[in-house]
Amino acid sequence: MTAKMDSIDAAPGAGTTAGRWAFAALIGGNIALSLGAMLVRMADTGPTASAFWRMTLALPLLLIFAWRETGGRMPPRPALLIASAAGIFFALDLAAWHLGILQTKVANATLFGNCASLLLVLWTIFLTREMPRGWQAAAILLAFAGSALLMGQSYELSPDYLVGDLLSLLAGVLYTVYVILMQRVRDTLAPWTALAIASAVCVPILLGTALALGETVMPQNWTPLILLALVSQVIGQGLMIWSLPRFSPLVIGLTLLIQPAFAALTGWVGFGETLSAIDVFGGMMVGAALVLIRLPNRSARPI
């Protein structure tokens, strides 16, 4: 592997204990985020309204954490603008994805919503001007082959999921821009500050969208929404945003594929959706890819 490709996959200090914890946090964040689709289905509000409550209920905690990071100081204006732009893309992503969740299977919504995986790999190639080789290429092929098994097995069961799949695909494109912007702004802002700004921007956009679509906004059962805010936004996004500066878009993209595998499992447990041997094998392939992506520099500075 060339020095250029190696350098973008290994952040400074990646070989330290902090670097290993960062990879664990990236995986843990994606596992937490994979539970979001199930919680959206359990909510008794409209899909975009559930996204609004995810942000609104999480925002007080995020603001407290951000205040502790900054001591109440305002962030630099350029960073504030980038984080705000990221929030706009995140709000649109959530609106599209939450609408898609109710019109397709949990695994499909999560898989298509994570087309960001492929787009982030392509973004890495664009940044480095080089194609991945060796273990990196093997990891990419294995990860996407495993995801294709999950997608094919799920999607073939009902072509009626097309609208939901397309909405989820749009969400994945929007999420890609969000991740790229958040990775950029993390060079300047601490994680909770960046996440708090983006989340605050999401709130009015999601509320306006929910009202414009005529959705039920006020819930009768708050439990799924509280869990959605804590698990998806505070824990899931919190861990992922903290990890962003420590890894290349390639590594971040591949770890996103954890979400379809876990979403298939939650769809099976929570909604009785089919989970076949092929689905299990596809999930195992994604897991193996995450091992392979750490191999090229394991002897010196694991990513």
Side-chain angles (χ1 to χ4, degrees):
M1 187 60 56
T2 65
K4 183 183 287 187
M5 183 67 74
D6 286 347
S7 64
I8 196 165
D9 286 338
T16 66
T17 300
R20 291 190 289 272
W21 275 111
F23 192 72
L26 190 61
I27 291 177
N30 278 284
I31 291 174
L33 288 169
S34 71
L35 300 175
M38 180 178 67
L39 293 170
V40 170
R41 281 196 172 189
M42 293 171 62
D44 57 7
T45 63
T48 309
S50 67
F52 160 72
W53 286 116
R54 165 180 168 172
M55 294 296 163
T56 303
L57 294 174
L59 191 55
L61 271 179
L62 298 179
L63 290 174
I64 291 172
F65 295 156
W67 182 273
R68 289 174 61 88
E69 280 181 338
T70 64
R73 294 184 300 274
M74 284 294 293
R77 181 179 175 82
L80 180 62
L81 292 176
I82 294 172
S84 298
I88 293 172
F89 280 97
F90 194 28
L92 297 175
D93 155 57
L94 288 173
W97 189 58
H98 283 212
L99 286 169
I101 286 170
L102 299 188
Q103 300 184 58
T104 187
K105 293 180 66 175
V106 169
N108 275 29
T110 308
L111 178 66
F112 283 109
N114 281 285
C115 71
S117 302
L118 175 59
L119 296 176
L120 287 170
V121 170
L122 295 176
W123 179 247
T124 299
I125 294 171
F126 172 77
L127 290 177
T128 63
R129 301 294 195 274
E130 293 190 17
M131 294 294 293
R133 291 180 290 174
W135 288 119
Q136 287 182 327
I140 292 169
L141 292 175
L142 194 60
F144 287 112
S147 297
L149 288 179
L150 285 167
M151 176 185 68
Q153 189 73 0
S154 179
Y155 185 70
E156 288 173 3
L157 295 175
S158 176
D160 295 335
Y161 298 145
L162 178 61
V163 173
D165 290 345
L166 289 176
L167 284 168
S168 300
L169 187 64
L170 172 62
V173 175
L174 295 166
Y175 192 68
T176 302
V177 182
Y178 164 73
V179 170
I180 291 172
L181 289 173
M182 289 297 276
Q183 189 172 38
R184 178 181 173 186
V185 81
R186 280 285 286 111
D187 292 336
T188 305
L189 297 182
W192 293 117
T193 304
L195 186 56
I197 294 169
S199 300
V201 170
C202 287
V203 170
I205 297 174
L206 291 170
L207 178 59
T209 304
L211 293 174
L213 293 172
E215 294 184 5
T216 300
V217 175
M218 292 304 298
Q220 299 296 317
N221 180 10
W222 286 94
T223 302
L225 296 174
I226 293 172
L227 289 175
L228 183 65
L230 293 177
V231 174
S232 291
Q233 194 61 19
V234 177
I235 298 175
Q237 282 291 320
L239 288 173
M240 196 188 76
I241 298 303
W242 178 76
S243 304
L244 283 183
R246 295 165 170 82
F247 301 102
S248 73
L250 187 151
V251 176
I252 295 165
L254 291 189
T255 56
L256 289 179
L257 293 174
I258 296 171
Q259 295 187 40
F262 272 84
L265 179 63
T266 58
W268 173 59
V269 173
F271 300 101
E273 294 180 353
T274 303
L275 186 63
S276 69
I278 293 178
D279 291 320
V280 174
F281 185 63
M284 292 173 64
M285 291 174 70
V286 172
L290 296 178
V291 175
L292 287 179
I293 199 62
R294 288 173 58 85
L295 289 181
N297 296 316
R298 180 176 289 277
S299 61
R301 44 178 187 177
I303 57 179

